[in-house]
């Protein structure tokens, strides 16, 4: 484990009503108590953000949105701005999740604009990247992730660069039960950190948190977190159940 604070995020996607979200967060905090050496981030659907913000009171817990728009306001039916997310208490925004890229047509340009908007409001982006199975099989993993990385952080300052959270999520491992092996995940994380050092500098690259996502479960969390360049986790399915998510945040 690196000395920086690990970050474990629950990406609930389109699951949980407001009342279900509240029950989960109350139960989780009651069972875990304050988190000293790791940060737990909950990303509920937009509808539950405000309510969850009102009950997130343990030290070490924070709130994230799953998406945002890059404009401040305007005629963008169905969209939510970063200013709106900040006001309800979000500290983080997940940007460029592969489901957004694949199902909703998000491009690298949109993702770069979202990262810039998140920073304009003083929030921190959790920037997702990862290759599909055909891309991995064609030997394009590094090429794809470096493009996702480089395009997403284009134009940010070095101060902002030091705050970014990078989430490596191989698309073939999301929701499939197929996890990247700890060695596969480490290989890409190590590569991304080197590229980040080349884009900014080594100190900044060592300072940022790189989290892994894709079928993280109670039985693989410890091995993943033992890798030197894995500084946290972005958890989908296994974050929906209190007992399972609690075990994940209590990785050893
Ligand atoms: P999963 O999702 O843990 O269900 O694979 C991870 C994610 O999409 O962030």
């Amino acid at each position: 484990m690196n000395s920086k604070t690990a970050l474990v995020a629950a990406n609930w996607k389109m699951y949980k009503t407001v009342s279900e979200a509240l029950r989960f967060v109350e139960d989780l905090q009651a069972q875990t108590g304050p988190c000293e050496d790791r940060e737990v981030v909950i990303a509920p659907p937009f509808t539950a953000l405000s309510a969850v913000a009102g009950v997130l009171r343990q030290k070490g817990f924070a709130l994230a949105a799953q998406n945002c728009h890059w404009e401040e306001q305007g005629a963008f039916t169905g969209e939510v701005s970063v200013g709106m997310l900040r006001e309800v208490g979000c500290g983080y925004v997940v940007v460029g999740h592969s489901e957004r890229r694949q199902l909703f047509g998000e491009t690298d340009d949109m993702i770069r604009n979202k990262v810039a908007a998140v920073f304009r409001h003083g929030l921190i982006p959790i920037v997702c990247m990862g290759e599909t199975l055909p891309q991995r099989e064609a030997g394009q993993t590094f090429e794809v992730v470096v493009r996702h990385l480089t395009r997403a952080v284009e134009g940010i300052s070095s101060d902002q660069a030091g705050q970014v959270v990078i989430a490596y999520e191989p698309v073939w491992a999301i929701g499939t039960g197929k996890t990247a092996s700890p060695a596969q995940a480490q290989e890409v994380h190590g590569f991304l950190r080197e590229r980040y050092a080349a884009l900014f500098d080594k100190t900044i690259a060592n300072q940022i948190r790189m989290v892994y996502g894709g079928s993280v479960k109670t039985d693989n969390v410890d091995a993943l977190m033992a890798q030197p360049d894995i500084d946290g986790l972005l958890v989908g399915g296994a974050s929906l159940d209190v007992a399972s998510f609690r075990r994940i945040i209590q990785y050893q």
Side-chain angles (χ1 to χ4, degrees), residues 15-37:
Y15 291 98
K16 294 196 192 294
T17 63
V18 175
S19 54
E20 289 165 348
L22 285 175
R23 196 171 330 122
F24 180 107
V25 171
E26 297 278 22
D27 288 353
L28 180 68
Q29 292 179 115
Q31 291 176 27
T32 55
C35 284
E36 301 293 343
D37 64 341

Side-chain angles (χ1 to χ4, degrees), residues 7-70:
L7 183 149
V8 184
N11 173 16
W12 285 351
K13 310 190 179 188
M14 199 172 74
Y15 291 98
K16 294 196 192 294
T17 63
V18 175
S19 54
E20 289 165 348
L22 285 175
R23 196 171 330 122
F24 180 107
V25 171
E26 297 278 22
D27 288 353
L28 180 68
Q29 292 179 115
Q31 291 176 27
T32 55
C35 284
E36 301 293 343
D37 64 341
R38 53 202 71 180
E39 189 171 11
V40 177
V41 177
I42 308 285
F46 286 133
T47 45
L49 284 171
S50 193
V52 168
V55 296
L56 270 185
R57 50 180 92 81
Q58 291 284 17
K59 185 168 185 300
F61 284 73
L63 186 67
Q66 298 174 16
N67 185 27
C68 65
H69 195 275
W70 57 89

Side-chain angles (χ1 to χ4, degrees), residues 9-13 94 97-99 128 167 169-171 173-178 212-217 233-240:
N11 173 16
W12 285 351
K13 310 190 179 188
V94 178
H97 190 279
S98 62
E99 286 151 17
C128 302
E169 297 206 303
V171 178
I174 295 179
T176 57
K178 277 192 213 157
Y212 169 80
S215 295
V216 173
K217 303 277 181 261
L233 305 158
L234 182 52
V235 190
S239 75
L240 294 168

Side-chain angles (χ1 to χ4, degrees), residues 128-249:
C128 302
M129 56 202 65
E131 79 288 2
T132 61
L133 190 56
Q135 288 168 335
R136 173 161 281 261
E137 286 172 349
Q140 295 165 347
T141 298
F142 293 121
E143 185 188 316
V144 170
V145 295
V146 84
R147 189 190 80 230
H148 286 167
L149 174 70
T150 311
R151 299 296 314 280
V153 299
E154 242 167 49
I156 66 171
S157 69
S158 47
D159 181 45
Q160 292 167 339
Q163 299 172 51
V164 167
V165 177
I166 288 173
Y168 169 56
E169 297 206 303
V171 178
W172 49 271
I174 295 179
T176 57
K178 277 192 213 157
T179 327
S181 68
Q184 280 173 322
Q186 167 59 31
E187 187 188 21
V188 178
H189 280 229
F191 169 78
L192 285 170
R193 207 181 294 280
E194 270 173 33
R195 297 310 293 248
Y196 209 72
L199 286 171
F200 298 100
D201 71 40
K202 205 161 188 285
T203 313
I204 290 174
N206 286 334
Q207 166 185 337
I208 63 161
R209 291 172 290 182
M210 291 199 174
V211 307
Y212 169 80
S215 295
V216 173
K217 303 277 181 261
T218 53
D219 58 3
N220 58 25
V221 57
D222 299 335
L224 285 164
M225 286 305 292
Q227 301 300 314
D229 286 301
I230 300 185
D231 312 311
L233 305 158
L234 182 52
V235 190
S239 75
L240 294 168
D241 171 72
V242 174
S244 134
F245 190 57
R246 194 192 57 203
R247 169 65 184 87
I248 288 170
I249 64 183

